Structures are given as structure tokens and as C-alpha cells.
Amino acid sequence: MALAIGVWLYARKYLEKALVWLSIWGFPDGRLRRTFLAFATVIVTVITLYGGANLLYMVFARNNALPPLVDNFANGLLGLTIFSGIIAGLGRALLSIQRPSWRLIPMPDMIAVALKPYPTGIAMLLMFFGTLEQFNNTIGSSVSAAIFSNGIAALLIALLVWRATRRTNRIRREMVALGEPLEPRTSLGSLIHLVVSAVSVSIVLALLIGYIPLARFLTYELVWVGIVFSCLYLTTKLMGDLCESLFSVNHASGKWIKQALNLDNRYLEQATILFSAIGNTILVMLAAIALFNGTYGATTPMTIVDKAIDILGSDSFGKINIVPANVMSALISAVVGLYILRTARRWLGTKFLPKTAMDTGMRMSLVTLFSNIGYVLLILITLSLLGIEWNKLAWIVSALSVGIGFGLQEIVKNFISGLILLTERPVKVGDLVSISGVEGDIRRINVRATEIQLSDKSTVIVPNSQLISQNVRNVTMGNAQGVATIPLIFPLDIDPEQVRGILLEAYVAHEAIQDTPAPSVSFSQLTPDGITLSVTGYVSSPRVVSRTKSDLLFDILKRLRAANVKLSSPQSLVVQNLPPEIAAAYTDNSKKEDE
């Protein structure tokens, strides 16, 4: 018993000092220090409270076995100790009163200090009334006594939570009045504040109308959801900082991985983002399972893992059992799945793929293909949660086949063509293409059609099947060069060699014209109207041909005028003010020819 009291009074304080020393000297500079300390603070708080309670349990059960009722009561108290320790530890870790600079949540010190007693107070209330509930269950007390204790517990916890939200608002108003810097709440923070306030008011209203079981349910769900989301926030922060520190080239681990595997820095950045995303996905999945299948006081980490294994390995997908609960689960799954899918798509497009060596078109194609596959899987999962067996969907396939025969063949053809475009990639996002008289840049390849942006910024929607079945000119495929050719007509009396030198000088002097292949002048045509010379040069891309030709024409005309060389102009015969006798002669001759 003395050891249990010592653990409760001194173990946590000295263990936290050791953790501070370990986080400073055992971890490299970076955010991993503070996330590790916050996570370890929760663990140490739980271990010390549970360890002291377990030592106290051994005082009575060390030699003689306790009666079953007493033993069950004691085990229930040990479980409550774990949950109370988690609540108190999360409050101490996230508020970080002693080390404000290491605080994970962006929160002013005044608000953090004001909120300090509330997590501990909630943990103590839950421990007290949880013990009272265990005692009532053990001795078999009356239902009215159990309902009364549940109502008092719900009332006190709701008032404590409501008080915390009101005090936070009051301190924020005082800080604004004093002119102290205060960051506005984020959208998520405002939503959490609103939901917590609304639930606390709902608990009080349920008690006032005599709905005590509903009040108890809301109270324990509020506490459970708060624990799950707080643990999810803390563990995702730890996962991201751990991956970033592990693969950082500035740390010993990252340097060793780079030298051992001979990797480039960008591959380490990709590994950081990829492993962090995988870890966060697993954590989000476990949190979702804990929310839907866990309750306060009866769920442990191992039960959450066992439930996840049961969900993944169960045969419930092969049964048809559509009930309101399944419909609600399917709706929640669809909403959560859409959010996760859009978040993953945004993560792929803005974080992971830009770290790779892929071009923009390939990245867009992968994001689109990932989205299409994700939507299909989400639909299948939603149908499974509804209780629809996959092999019972044959009638849907049959109906679709009939519809395809009458009107959906074009849609399916465009869909398959879109998949071919994304995999075979004859054209990709960013290419300059020409099809059916339309020339422009491909901006997006959708499931049904492809968007081509013209030079005037307008967009043409081309079905994907046309890009597969018709002749398409891909101007930029294979890093194609642009050709700037300008034909010019000169009079017959010029010096061709002189003109040839002027044209070549203009092309060589232009910065966009490449040295290889070298510019050339060809004698295209010799007619009574003049000599046609065509000068040709290569540029880096077909996109710059028009601009380059315009610059070259300005320069060529300037050089020709300086050399007193003129371009050939078409000759025309203009007759006006004819004498009357000449005009009469022309009229008589025309009449004779008509006869």
C-alpha cells in the first residue's frame, strides 16, 4: 500500500522529468520531441494511476482469492482507472501548461491555464460515479438508485463541460478587450466548440424532462468521442513527425537510409509522405471502428483491434439484411468514404506526386485513375454494408447489359476509351493536339470526355472514343521540335546569295532558333512574278513557333531595308480616263467577236 501511494504521489513527476530529458537528448531537433513528450505523458499518467491501483488491488488479493463479486468489482475499478488516466493524461499532454512552447494545439496560455482543472475534474467525476455504478451493480441495488446516480453524474459532467466552453469564450473576449494578439478559431475548432456546447445543453434538457437514460448516453458518448478524437489527433501528429524525422536527410537515420540504399533526397521525401499517409489511414480506420463499436468504460485498444479483424474477416458481406441500422451505417460510410477519397486525391495531387519525377500529365492521369477506382470500391462497400450480397447483383449486371444494348454503348465506349487514354497515354494532360480541325491543349481527361482548351481560352469537349478511333495529331508528343518556316518572294533582279546571307543572319541571331539542326534557306520556286526563298529553323517546342516567326519577320524586314533589298509585289494593270475614240474601238471589236 505504501508503494501504491508512492507511485501515485512521486512516480509520475519523476518519470515526466526523465521523459523531458530523453526527448531533448535522445531525439534530434524537430517537432518529434514535443509529440513524443505529449504521447509519453499520456502513457505515463495511465501507467502510474493503473500501477498504483493494481498495487492496491494486490494488497487484498495477494494471498487469498477474492470472492467473484468483489473480484469483478475490483477489475471494473481497474478499468475505470485506465480511462480516467487517459482523460487526465490527454488534458495534461494537449494543454502542456509547464511547457507552452511545446504545446501541440495552437492555444493562448490564458485559455490553457483556465482549462487545466477541467480534464482532471471530468476524470474524477467519471471515476467516482463509475465506481458508484459498479457498486450498485455488485450489490444489486434498486433501479431508482442507479438511475438517480446516473442522472447526477450526467448533470455534473454536462455542467462542467458547459462551464469550460463558457469560460473559454469569456477569456477570449477579455483578451480582445485588452488588445492582446488572438488568432481566430479554425473552422474545425468552431465546429467542435459548437457541438460540445450543444450536447451539454441537450444533456441538461434531457434531465429536465426526465429522460435520464438519454442523458447518460449522451454524456458517455461525449466523453468517448472526446477521448477517441484526442487520441487520434495526438497519434496522427506523432506518426507524421516520426516519419519526417526518420527519413530526414538532416538526421542520422535519414543519412543512413540514403547511403545504404543510395537514394535521392526526393525519394526520402516521398517515403515520408507515403508512410505517414499509411499510418494515418490505419489510425483513422481504428478511430472509426472505436467510434461505432466502442463505449466508454468497456473498450480497450485490444478490443478495437479484435473488432477490426472481425470486420475485415467476417462473412456479413454475403448476406442480404437491409435494416435501418445498415442503411445508417451505409450512409455514414459513404460520407466518410467520400471525404477520405477527396482527401487522398488532394494529397496525391498536391503532396506526394509532385515529389516524384512524373510530368504533370502523368500525375493528372494517376489522380483521375485513382479517383475512378476509389469511387467503384466505395459503391461496392456501401452496397455490402446495406447487406446486399455481391453475387446477388447479377440482376443488376443483366439490366445494365440490356441498357447498354439500347443506349449506354456510347457511355461505356467513352468510359473504356478514357481508361485506355489513362493507361496507354497516347495523349496526356498538357499535350498540344489537333483533331477534326480543333487544335488546343488537353487540360483534363475525364471518365466520359476530354477537355481541350483552345488558344482563345475556350474549351472544347471531345468524347474519349474520338481520341481512340480517329486520327489525332499530337504536336508535343515525344518532345517534338517546332519548325519556323517563312516563305518570301523577291524580284528577279536580286542577288540570291546576298539575300540568303541576310535571312540566315536573322535566324542565327534569334535566341529561340536552335543551332542543331542549323537554319537553312531553300530556293523554292522561280516564276515570272519573282524568286521564292524559304528559310527554315528549328525551335524547342511547337508552342513557340508562332511567336518566333513574328519576331523573325520584324527582324528580316529591318535587315532587308537596311540592305536596300525589296520584296516582290504583284503587278496589276489599271486603265482609267480612256479617250472616247479608243473606248469606241474597244466596244466595236467586242461586238464583232460576239457576232
Side-chain angles (χ1 to χ4, degrees):
M1 185 176 294
L3 185 59
I5 296 174
V7 169
W8 282 337
L9 295 179
Y10 302 105
R12 180 181 58 80
K13 180 173 66 175
Y14 290 108
L15 283 177
E16 286 190 0
K17 289 183 178 180
L19 289 174
V20 172
W21 181 89
L22 178 61
S23 62
I24 294 176
W25 299 104
F27 292 91
D29 295 335
R31 296 178 297 182
L32 181 61
R33 290 180 173 180
R34 63 175 188 172
T35 51
F36 166 77
L37 181 61
F39 183 78
T41 298
V42 179
I43 300 299
V44 166
T45 304
V46 174
I47 289 177
T48 52
L49 290 178
Y50 178 76
N54 202 18
L55 290 172
L56 190 62
Y57 169 77
M58 292 176 62
V59 171
F60 302 98
R62 180 168 54 90
N63 292 326
N64 300 321
L66 296 176
L69 290 177
V70 179
D71 190 65
N72 292 333
F73 174 74
N75 290 328
L77 293 184
L78 291 177
L80 290 174
T81 304
I82 295 177
F83 282 94
S84 300
I86 291 176
I87 296 173
L90 286 172
R92 299 184 68 256
L94 296 178
L95 295 178
S96 186
I97 303 298
Q98 298 179 356
R99 287 167 291 275
S101 60
W102 286 30
R103 187 177 297 136
L104 297 179
I105 301 177
M107 180 185 301
D109 293 340
M110 293 179 61
I111 296 179
V113 173
L115 293 178
K116 178 183 178 180
Y118 291 100
T120 305
I122 293 175
M124 294 176 64
L125 285 176
L126 289 172
M127 185 68 193
F128 174 77
F129 285 101
T131 303
L132 185 59
E133 184 176 0
Q134 291 284 339
F135 182 75
N136 291 333
N137 294 333
T138 302
I139 65 175
S141 61
S142 62
V143 177
S144 59
I147 293 177
F148 178 76
S149 62
N150 291 334
I152 295 297
L155 177 62
L156 293 178
I157 294 174
L159 292 177
L160 196 63
V161 172
W162 182 84
R163 173 63 179 169
T165 57
R166 296 300 95 192
R167 190 172 183 181
T168 301
N169 290 337
R170 180 174 59 82
I171 293 176
R172 291 181 67 89
R173 289 193 297 267
E174 292 176 355
M175 294 179 64
V176 172
L178 295 174
E180 297 185 7
L182 179 64
E183 296 183 1
R185 283 197 183 107
T186 61
S187 300
L188 181 59
S190 301
L191 179 62
I192 293 175
H193 187 272
L194 178 63
V195 170
V196 170
S197 301
V199 172
S200 60
V201 172
S202 300
I203 293 172
V204 176
L205 293 177
L207 292 173
L208 291 177
I209 64 176
Y211 229 141
I212 296 178
L214 176 61
R216 180 189 180 279
F217 171 78
L218 292 177
T219 301
Y220 279 78
E221 285 299 315
L222 178 63
V223 174
W224 177 244
V225 171
I227 292 175
V228 172
F229 276 102
S230 298
C231 292
L232 178 63
Y233 175 81
L234 183 58
T235 51
T236 51
K237 286 285 186 181
L238 178 64
M239 179 63 67
D241 295 341
L242 180 62
C243 293
E244 182 179 358
S245 178
L246 180 63
F247 296 103
S248 176
V249 294
N250 299 323
H251 300 157
S253 58
K255 293 178 181 178
W256 181 83
I257 294 174
K258 179 179 179 180
Q259 294 176 358
L261 301 178
N262 194 19
L263 298 176
D264 192 34
N265 291 342
R266 61 187 179 89
Y267 291 112
L268 294 179
E269 295 178 357
Q270 295 173 21
T272 301
I273 299 173
L274 182 61
F275 283 100
S276 176
I278 293 174
N280 290 336
T281 302
I282 296 174
L283 292 174
V284 169
M285 182 188 70
L286 293 177
I289 294 174
L291 285 176
F292 293 115
N293 299 278
T295 56
Y296 173 79
T299 304
T300 62
M302 289 307 301
T303 58
I304 296 175
V305 175
D306 293 338
K307 186 63 179 179
I309 295 174
D310 292 339
I311 292 176
L312 295 177
S314 64
D315 58 350
S316 60
F317 289 163
K319 301 177 182 178
I320 297 179
N321 187 21
I322 300 179
V323 295
N326 292 346
V327 175
M328 183 61 65
S329 300
L331 290 176
I332 295 175
S333 174
V335 173
V336 175
L338 286 174
Y339 174 77
I340 294 176
L341 185 59
R342 292 181 179 179
T343 303
R345 178 176 178 174
R346 185 168 56 250
W347 170 79
L348 278 175
T350 60
K351 291 186 177 181
F352 180 70
L353 292 180
K355 301 293 184 181
T356 63
M358 301 179 186
D359 56 8
T360 305
M362 186 62 181
R363 296 202 300 265
M364 291 292 294
S365 300
L366 287 178
V367 171
T368 304
L369 186 61
F370 169 79
S371 301
N372 296 337
I373 296 175
Y375 283 123
V376 172
L377 293 178
L378 181 60
I379 293 174
L380 294 178
I381 292 174
T382 304
L383 293 176
S384 298
L385 291 177
L386 283 173
I388 299 176
E389 187 179 353
W390 290 11
N391 56 16
K392 296 293 192 302
L393 299 179
W395 61 273
I396 298 179
V397 177
S398 301
L400 287 178
S401 62
V402 175
I404 290 172
F406 285 98
L408 297 181
Q409 66 270 24
E410 289 296 329
I411 297 176
V412 175
K413 181 170 67 174
N414 289 325
F415 175 75
I416 300 300
S417 300
L419 296 180
I420 294 174
L421 291 177
L422 292 175
T423 54
E424 186 179 340
R425 302 179 72 232
V427 295
K428 59 183 181 298
V429 176
D431 283 351
L432 178 63
V433 299
S434 177
I435 176 174
S436 301
V438 176
E439 182 172 294
D441 297 319
I442 294 181
R443 292 306 180 195
R444 189 178 184 85
I445 301 177
N446 296 315
V447 175
R448 188 194 65 83
T450 297
E451 300 176 5
I452 299 179
Q453 189 178 67
L454 305 184
S455 57
D456 59 354
K457 302 302 180 182
S458 62
T459 302
V460 176
I461 309 299
V462 179
N464 292 330
S465 59
Q466 293 188 12
L467 295 173
I468 297 298
S469 60
Q470 295 186 11
N471 295 329
V472 181
R473 179 172 177 260
N474 193 335
V475 181
T476 56
M477 186 176 183
N479 298 323
Q481 291 181 324
V483 181
T485 301
I486 301 176
L488 299 171
I489 302 176
F490 297 94
L492 296 173
D493 58 350
I494 66 165
D495 184 0
E497 293 295 334
Q498 178 190 8
V499 176
R500 179 176 180 273
I502 294 173
L503 298 178
L504 290 177
E505 288 177 1
Y507 264 65
V508 172
H510 198 281
E511 59 181 6
I513 300 298
Q514 296 183 346
D515 297 333
T516 304
S520 61
V521 177
S522 60
F523 202 131
S524 299
Q525 197 173 9
L526 178 62
T527 63
D529 295 331
I531 300 173
T532 302
L533 299 179
S534 296
V535 56
T536 301
Y538 291 87
V539 293
S540 60
S541 172
R543 301 180 186 276
V544 299
V545 170
S546 178
R547 184 174 66 252
T548 304
K549 290 174 67 175
S550 176
D551 296 340
L552 287 171
L553 282 172
F554 278 108
D555 191 20
I556 288 173
L557 290 178
K558 181 179 178 180
R559 291 175 183 269
L560 290 177
R561 289 180 180 177
N564 199 19
V565 177
K566 297 181 179 180
L567 292 173
S568 177
S569 59
Q571 298 179 358
S572 60
L573 178 63
V574 179
V575 179
Q576 61 182 9
N577 297 328
L578 292 175
E581 59 275 11
I582 297 177
Y586 277 111
T587 304
D588 295 339
N589 291 333
S590 61
K591 289 181 178 180
K592 292 179 180 180
E593 291 176 358
D594 292 338
E595 293 176 355

